[in-house]
């Protein structure tokens, strides 16, 4: 090629450099994007904030006796994994009504227990008591016991766990 047809701006070497750079960048993107996506995907994953928890067959819970069901949930938030334990008092009244209470005291979140002799839920932290229907009898709790929303699927009892 004679020098009279040479481009003053881009010669062959310059063209090859640009094409190599573009092709190299495209190949790096093709190889690198899945790897980047793999590493950041846990942070982008949405965690469920509420869900239905199965407590087993309703018939397993005796009538007129609040029965505690304990369960643990493990949540994954990005790279962080945390486990929380929960408790639910299933109370089947002889009339057929069903109530499921949280076992967390509404004062400062201590765990309640059922005192069968006195027929009250008892909080050991500040000696609070709640009646069978979860209403405050004595002590500092500012409100009655929290209730879970319930649902039956066949004979299976489920409660709605809402976080936040
Ligand atoms: S935490 Fe239950 S009465 Fe204070």
């Amino acid at each position: 090629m004679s020098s009279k047809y040479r481009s003053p701006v881009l010669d062959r070497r310059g063209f090859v450099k640009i094409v190599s750079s573009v092709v190299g960048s495209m190949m790096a993107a093709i190889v690198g994007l899945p790897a980047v996506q793999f590493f950041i995907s846990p942070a982008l994953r949405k965690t469920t904030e509420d869900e239905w928890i199965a407590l087993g067959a309703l018939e397993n819970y005796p009538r007129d006796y609040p029965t505690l069901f304990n369960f643990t949930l493990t949540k994954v938030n990005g790279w962080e994994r945390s486990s929380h334990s929960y408790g639910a008092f299933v109370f089947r009244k002889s009339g057929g009504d069903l109530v499921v209470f949280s076992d967390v005291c509404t004062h400062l979140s201590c765990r309640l227990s059922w005192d069968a002799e006195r027929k009250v839920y008892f909080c050991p932290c500040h000696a609070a008591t709640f009646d069978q229907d979860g209403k405050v009898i004595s002590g500092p709790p500012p409100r009655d016991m929290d209730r879970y929303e319930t649902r039956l699927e066949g004979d299976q009892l489920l409660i709605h766990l809402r976080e936040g």
Side-chain angles (χ1 to χ4, degrees):
M1 182 185 314
S2 78
S3 64
K4 108 176 173 187
Y5 296 111
R6 267 201 178 149
S7 164
V9 179
L10 185 65
D11 61 0
R12 182 183 295 181
R13 184 171 289 170
F15 175 76
V16 170
K17 265 187 186 174
I18 289 173
V19 170
S20 300
S21 298
V22 169
V23 170
S25 299
M26 286 172 57
M27 290 181 68
I30 289 169
V31 172
L33 278 180
V36 170
Q37 187 181 9
F38 173 78
F39 285 112
I40 67 169
S41 64
L44 302 176
R45 205 172 294 144
K46 200 173 181 182
T47 57
T48 53
E49 299 210 343
D50 60 341
E51 54 191 301
W52 287 91
I53 307 295
L55 303 191
L58 183 60
E59 290 304 314
N60 292 342
Y61 296 95
R63 290 191 185 275
D64 290 322
Y65 189 89
T67 306
L68 182 62
F69 181 91
N70 288 308
F71 57 98
T72 301
L73 288 183
T74 301
K75 299 212 170 192
V76 178
N77 186 8
W79 292 273
E80 181 187 324
R81 179 179 283 265
S82 57
S83 294
H84 297 278
S85 61
Y86 300 86
F89 283 105
V90 179
F91 183 36
R92 293 175 70 200
K93 298 180 184 178
S94 49
D97 288 347
L98 168 71
V99 189
V100 180
F101 295 105
S102 164
D103 75 337
V104 175
C105 180
T106 54
H107 181 223
L108 294 176
S109 303
C110 288
R111 295 300 171 105
L112 302 168
S113 60
W114 173 246
D115 183 336
E117 242 176 59
R118 295 190 294 158
K119 291 196 183 284
V120 293
Y121 298 97
F122 177 70
C123 179
C125 293
H126 306 100
T129 53
F130 300 82
D131 70 10
Q132 279 186 332
D133 294 317
K135 293 192 182 340
V136 178
I137 298 173
S138 65
R143 65 177 196 278
D144 298 338
M145 291 168 67
D146 293 325
R147 296 172 177 220
Y148 289 110
E149 184 185 347
T150 61
R151 186 175 91 195
L152 280 174
E153 273 184 14
D155 66 339
Q156 298 295 306
L157 173 63
L158 293 99
I159 59 171
H160 194 202
L161 185 67
R162 210 176 293 232
E163 294 287 306

